[in-house]
Amino acid sequence: MARAIDTATVNLSQADLEIAAYLAQPQEPGSYPGIIVLQEIFGVNSHIRDVTERIAREGYVAIAPALFQRVAPGFETGYTPADIEVGRVYAWEQSQASELLSDIQSAIDYLKTLPHVKKDGFGCIGFCFGGHVAYLAATLPDIKATASFYGARITNATPGGGEPTITRTKDISGTLYAFFGMEDASIPAEQVDQIEAELEKYKIPHRVFRYDGADHGFFCDQRGSYNPKAAADAWEQVKQLFAQQLQK
């Protein structure tokens, strides 16, 4: 039975910046693990808010920080080609990996201030650009479980430039699940294999899921690429990951 939840928009203090974040949490008193939800290039839009709420109904306190706060406060958009081009610029040209990690840590630190949030390990989940950022976030000591959905450019880039994010694999301290659609032109199968090989090389606890017939964005029911079968299986895997790693 899904839990009743409360939602709110909160602000995270980050140096001289206030970062907006969408918070969802169970109404029933208890002690719950915290989950960071990492947006696509489209901002903390209705899809990301919906995912945040779904996670809260499963018994977690979930928070989705606005990753584009520095460059586009309040940015939220749809899925047109024009929207995609704007979002890509914000994600890859105007974001910096170090700032994204700092913002995610701010979200974790905020959750630690809530009396009903467990302090001994957090999870994160991200989609598209957020799937890439989730791979980065997995290197944070507080993150014990990561679900990375179709994170493009992990093998050959990092936000703002620098060594590709895959070079940080050795710094991952928790368990990582990665989800890919095999029809995703933006993430060739060879890159998926490269990510899996790197996780194996450094003995990172992981699973890599490859969905035949699924395209980029297959988890989002607002996109034409939505694949109900792949999305349903991936959701079950995510629930299993978080339960095993965070509900101990």
Side-chain angles (χ1 to χ4, degrees):
M1 180 177 174
R3 292 168 174 80
I5 62 170
D6 290 323
T7 64
T9 298
V10 299
N11 287 319
L12 312 176
S13 295
Q14 167 66 298
D16 57 351
L17 179 71
E18 292 287 309
I19 300 169
Y22 187 71
L23 178 71
Q25 53 192 327
Q27 290 181 354
E28 185 179 351
S31 181
Y32 302 105
I35 305 289
I36 313 301
V37 183
L38 302 168
Q39 67 183 58
E40 299 175 293
I41 60 174
F42 311 104
V44 182
N45 63 4
S46 58
H47 169 57
I48 296 301
R49 294 194 296 271
D50 177 66
V51 171
T52 306
E53 293 168 9
R54 286 176 67 182
I55 291 170
R57 291 190 186 99
E58 295 294 333
Y60 301 90
V61 177
I63 190 167
L67 299 182
F68 295 161
Q69 187 77 36
R70 287 178 174 80
V71 298
F75 179 73
E76 176 184 338
T77 193
Y79 303 98
T80 70
D83 294 332
I84 291 170
E85 287 309 307
V86 172
R88 280 178 175 164
V89 171
Y90 291 154
W92 300 107
E93 298 178 21
Q94 298 185 15
S95 296
Q96 298 288 331
S98 60
E99 293 177 342
L100 292 166
L101 285 169
S102 182
D103 294 348
I104 294 164
Q105 188 62 54
S106 290
I108 294 169
D109 292 344
Y110 174 84
L111 292 182
K112 287 180 178 179
T113 69
L114 303 181
H116 52 289
V117 174
K118 294 181 178 179
K119 313 297 192 287
D120 56 350
F122 295 79
C124 72
I125 182 172
F127 306 88
C128 177
F129 171 66
H132 184 127
V133 177
Y135 204 97
L136 281 169
T139 66
L140 295 172
D142 283 311
I143 299 294
K144 303 306 180 189
T146 299
S148 170
F149 279 76
Y150 32 85
R153 308 190 192 190
I154 289 171
T155 64
N156 55 22
T158 202
E163 287 293 308
T165 290
I166 196 170
T167 62
R168 305 188 190 212
T169 303
K170 63 183 182 300
D171 300 322
I172 295 173
S173 58
T175 299
L176 186 141
Y177 281 14
F179 303 85
F180 299 98
M182 290 294 91
E183 300 301 316
D184 187 344
S186 66
I187 310 174
E190 311 85 72
Q191 293 187 7
V192 178
D193 293 343
Q194 188 179 347
I195 291 166
E196 186 168 40
E198 201 75 358
L199 290 164
E200 290 174 354
K201 175 182 175 182
Y202 290 105
K203 297 181 171 54
I204 308 301
H206 71 278
R207 293 184 69 185
V208 176
F209 299 88
R210 297 169 171 84
Y211 294 102
D212 291 331
D215 204 340
H216 193 77
F218 69 78
F219 193 80
C220 178
D221 58 7
Q222 299 182 25
R223 301 178 72 169
S225 55
Y226 176 56
N227 185 307
K229 184 178 178 181
D233 182 80
W235 182 242
E236 291 305 312
Q237 302 297 345
V238 167
K239 290 194 293 184
Q240 181 187 84
L241 168 68
F242 289 160
Q244 289 178 348
Q245 301 302 320
L246 303 175
Q247 296 280 16
K248 298 174 182 177

